[in-house]
Each structure stands twice: as structure tokens, then as C-alpha cells.
Amino acid sequence: IREQVAPPDRLALVERMWAVALASPTIGEHDGRLMSLAGDLLGFSPEEVAEARRRVRAELEHPGGLR
């Protein structure tokens, strides 16, 4: 995936994965580690994965709103 899919599409995948994880009432330590690993395997830094989480959380809290 990392070599055949463009970075914006891979980032969208990370964001979709965060949306699934954040739909749960609680996020455990295991979930965060899994997302960090997935982000790394997809070619993203921990900071980029954290930023994707922030964007998704903001969108879930304020659908269609400004971030």
C-alpha cells in the first residue's frame, strides 16, 4: 500500500481508521499503539497520526464545522 497508494489516500485511510476507533466509547492503550503502528507502516510520523486523530475528533464533535 505504501508504495502504490498516494500519501493523501493513505492519510485518508488513517483518518477512517481513527473514525472507527473514536466511535467507541473508550479508547484503550492498545488502540493507540495499533494506530501508531498502522500509521508507521503507512509511512506517517507519530505527529502526523496524532494530527489525523485531532482532525477526526474535531469533525466528530462538530460535524461540518470549522476546526
Side-chain angles (χ1 to χ4, degrees), residues 38-64:
D40 181 53
L41 291 171
L42 290 168
F44 297 107
S45 70
E47 294 80 15
E48 291 170 308
V49 175
E51 179 62 21
R53 178 182 182 170
R54 187 201 65 75
R55 280 192 305 273
V56 170
R57 177 172 274 157
E59 179 62 28
L60 292 172
E61 291 175 356
H62 307 287

Side-chain angles (χ1 to χ4, degrees), residues 7-20 35-36 38-40 42-44 48-53 55-56:
D9 295 329
R10 292 193 323 261
L11 187 57
L13 175 59
V14 171
E15 290 174 342
R16 278 181 255 153
M17 292 169 64
W18 268 124
V20 171
M35 288 302 300
S36 292
D40 181 53
L42 290 168
F44 297 107
E48 291 170 308
V49 175
E51 179 62 21
R53 178 182 182 170
R55 280 192 305 273
V56 170

